[in-house]
Amino acid sequence: MKYEEMVEKLFSFHPENKIRLGLDRIEKLLERLGNPQKEFKYIHVTGTNGKGTVTRTIGKLLTVHGLKVGTYFSPHLESFRERIRIDDLFISEENSVSMYEIVSKEAEEMSKVPGMKPTFFEIVTAMAFLYFKLQKVDVVVSEVGMGGRFDATNVVDDPLCSVITIVDYDHMNVLGNTLSQIAFEKSGIIKENSPVITGEFKDEPLKIIEAKAREMNAEVRRIGRDFRYIVKRIEFARNAFDFVGKRWNLSLETRMNGLAAINNMAISLAVFEYLDEIGFVKMNEEKIYKTIFTIPWEGRFEWFPSDLTVILDVAHNAPAMEMLRKNLKLYFPNREINAVIGILNDKDYKRMIDIVDPIFKRIYITSPKNERAFDPFSIYNWAVKNYDNVGFIRDIEDATEICMNVSKQENSIAVVTGSFYTVGFARSFLRGVRSEK
């Protein structure tokens, strides 16, 4: 089977818009594969936003300290292979195919039993865990797909630690309509005698997290009490901050931009400090400094190389749009900004656009190339009645090109945002390559 055929089969096996949370299917699938998740140490990361950044940062820190590290992400930007990595190197096309062939065979057998057909995400999770086992990694850092309690990644009983970045409103149709309900779902990754590190500071979700931790006899390390950061300088691609932990006090710089990036770096460092404390790794300050400074993260307030300023940001919910607005005002306070926005159908598009519209001179509403895309014309019809700076261009590539041409003529900033899929296809277009799915 060729890689391209595998991608087509995988994405048609169970459409992404039919999400079915629950652990019965993934546990059965992993059992049929020999329970590969029992063969490595595990760090589990959840949160409304920031979990990808934290997962990658922890993974990079562990790699430079000499461990063989598997990392698992969802979703991807441009290639399926981004989801499954060892030492931050994408899984190869050949290994993707071989993992799929093994896992899909077991999945097809399971599908003969009513209600036991694995979902797309369960198949990919099983592929990742099997690959990590066969490659004999030392540790896996995995972000959840959605929520935590019933997420397919929540199948390891004794993680080194769990991480909850922040709790905010997203996926309310699945996770609940209050912060307490959402926090309950996310705190489902906390395991007995395994600490949880969190960047949450709001009282309502913190009470839920701490109650679950007490139930599990798990220590809670939280931002503002057990660790913190102090911003020293905000300068594009050269941001400086201090990390103050339980034992560490580090002065660091990062090329990653935005206040959220610094916050997520601090959470990652708190995790790494704990791993050093228990003797899992031995901290080297020079390696930490170099890693934090050089780590990239595509699509996260990314300044894409171009003859004008193009910002790619995967802000895909209202809290992330609020952070995007703050960062644009922080880094580009006196510049006009045009934007391409494409949003998925489970998002509060009205609130998302309400947050950022005042800072954009023009908005081009477009459509993510995904089954879960919100009809862009419906969004446009609503937006044009409320704002006078909104246009409609269905095709992402056309919208990106027009936005860039207008911005270049005006010496304005161009921003592409709204979802991973919008940014992923725009990024591929800008690089002159084909995005897979």
Side-chain angles (χ1 to χ4, degrees):
M1 182 187 299
K2 292 185 178 181
Y3 174 74
E4 292 77 13
E5 181 184 356
M6 183 277 295
V7 171
E8 288 299 321
K9 285 181 176 291
L10 177 59
F11 277 84
S12 64
F13 193 93
H14 193 87
E16 280 194 271
N17 61 339
K18 295 182 180 178
I19 296 168
R20 292 183 292 145
L21 295 179
L23 299 180
D24 290 349
R25 294 178 303 276
I26 185 63
E27 288 176 344
K28 185 65 176 178
L29 181 56
L30 290 171
E31 182 183 321
R32 295 178 69 98
L33 295 167
N35 285 315
Q37 76 280 10
K38 297 182 182 295
E39 301 298 319
F40 43 74
K41 300 294 184 182
Y42 196 62
I43 297 170
H44 203 189
V45 183
T46 190
T48 302
N49 293 315
K51 53 187 177 289
T53 303
V54 169
T55 297
R56 191 175 191 187
T57 304
I58 295 170
K60 292 282 282 187
L61 288 169
L62 289 168
T63 296
V64 301
H65 281 78
L67 293 171
K68 189 172 185 178
V69 184
T71 44
Y72 181 43
F73 302 92
S74 176
H76 61 266
L77 277 181
E78 299 175 84
S79 169
F80 166 80
R81 296 169 49 227
E82 298 170 26
R83 294 173 179 251
I84 304 170
R85 313 183 190 194
I86 293 179
D87 297 338
D88 210 31
L89 298 176
F90 301 171
I91 186 173
S92 68
E93 293 187 358
E94 293 77 12
N95 281 323
S96 298
V97 171
S98 61
M99 292 303 101
Y100 174 76
E101 288 177 336
I102 295 170
V103 173
S104 63
K105 181 179 179 181
E106 301 300 331
E108 292 291 352
E109 286 299 312
M110 285 178 58
S111 300
K112 296 175 182 178
V113 179
M116 289 301 290
K117 180 179 180 179
T119 65
F120 164 86
F121 187 67
E122 288 163 349
I123 292 173
V124 179
T125 300
M127 289 171 60
F129 288 175
L130 180 62
Y131 178 63
F132 295 145
K133 172 191 173 181
L134 295 177
Q135 294 294 318
K136 296 181 170 60
V137 301
D138 298 310
V139 59
V140 169
V141 190
S142 171
E143 66 168 305
V144 307
M146 182 188 297
R149 184 166 64 110
F150 290 130
D151 189 78
T153 59
N154 196 27
V155 290
V156 176
D157 295 328
D158 57 346
L160 289 168
C161 65
S162 302
V163 184
I164 302 174
T165 56
I166 61 167
V167 176
D168 217 318
Y169 294 101
D170 196 15
H171 300 298
M172 284 93 80
N173 59 322
V174 177
L175 303 181
N177 293 314
T178 69
L179 291 182
S180 293
Q181 290 172 324
I182 297 169
F184 176 77
E185 295 298 329
K186 295 186 184 300
S187 64
I189 73 168
I190 301 173
K191 299 299 190 298
E192 193 168 359
N193 300 316
S194 177
V196 56
I197 291 91
T198 181
E200 187 53 69
F201 57 87
K202 298 185 290 293
D203 288 340
E204 185 179 348
L206 265 179
K207 288 178 181 177
I208 302 299
I209 293 168
E210 291 176 336
K212 182 63 176 182
R214 285 193 299 272
E215 178 188 336
M216 295 288 102
N217 192 35
E219 176 191 3
V220 177
R221 297 192 178 190
R222 62 183 177 95
I223 200 164
R225 184 187 69 188
D226 303 296
F227 66 94
R228 60 193 174 94
Y229 63 91
I230 303 166
V231 177
K232 307 299 285 291
R233 182 180 68 245
I234 292 294
E235 180 183 322
F236 217 94
R238 193 108 190 172
N239 304 282
F241 67 100
D242 289 346
F243 170 78
V244 181
K246 293 177 78 72
R247 296 176 297 118
W248 294 356
N249 195 328
L250 306 173
S251 293
L252 302 162
E253 293 185 3
T254 180
R255 290 178 178 172
M256 285 190 67
N257 297 300
L259 297 175
I262 295 174
N263 183 80
N264 293 327
M265 294 282 184
I267 297 169
S268 306
L269 289 163
V271 172
F272 201 74
E273 182 184 43
Y274 167 74
L275 298 176
D276 175 80
E277 183 181 311
I278 65 174
F280 187 72
V281 291
K282 183 173 177 57
M283 176 265 220
N284 180 300
E285 187 170 342
E286 183 178 346
K287 290 179 179 178
I288 289 177
Y289 185 93
K290 183 176 180 181
T291 301
I292 294 298
F293 180 64
T294 58
I295 186 170
W297 203 202
E298 299 79 12
R300 277 70 172 183
F301 207 73
E302 175 190 10
W303 190 336
F304 190 85
S306 176
D307 56 357
L308 75 158
T309 302
V310 179
I311 302 296
L312 305 178
D313 194 278
V314 295
H316 58 286
N317 52 41
M321 281 293 194
E322 182 65 37
M323 184 56 67
L324 173 62
R325 183 186 65 82
K326 289 179 181 177
N327 286 331
L328 288 170
K329 291 177 70 175
L330 180 66
Y331 287 99
F332 308 109
N334 301 311
R335 299 287 300 278
E336 291 184 333
I337 308 171
N338 299 311
V340 173
I341 299 179
I343 300 173
L344 297 187
N345 62 15
D346 61 341
K347 305 298 179 180
D348 186 351
Y349 71 86
K350 294 180 181 179
R351 186 173 171 218
M352 290 171 68
I353 293 176
D354 281 342
I355 289 169
V356 293
D357 182 89
I359 66 168
F360 292 142
K361 183 177 181 180
R362 296 181 184 83
I363 292 178
Y364 300 97
I365 303 296
T366 191
S367 177
K369 295 182 179 180
N370 185 269
E371 292 174 346
R372 291 165 54 205
F374 210 116
D375 174 28
F377 196 64
S378 295
I379 297 177
Y380 169 75
N381 279 337
W382 169 82
V384 77
K385 295 174 184 176
N386 293 273
Y387 300 104
D388 59 5
N389 60 340
V390 179
F392 171 74
I393 305 173
R394 181 177 293 275
D395 184 80
I396 291 175
E397 290 86 352
D398 289 345
T400 302
E401 184 171 29
I402 290 170
C403 183
M404 289 181 65
N405 288 339
V406 170
S407 298
K408 189 173 182 179
Q409 293 171 9
E410 300 175 342
N411 192 29
S412 300
I413 309 293
V415 173
V416 181
T417 189
S419 81
F420 281 82
Y421 302 96
T422 303
V423 171
F425 275 92
R427 195 173 192 278
S428 294
F429 169 70
L430 293 172
R431 295 198 305 119
V433 301
R434 184 178 67 87
S435 188
E436 290 176 6
K437 278 286 184 179

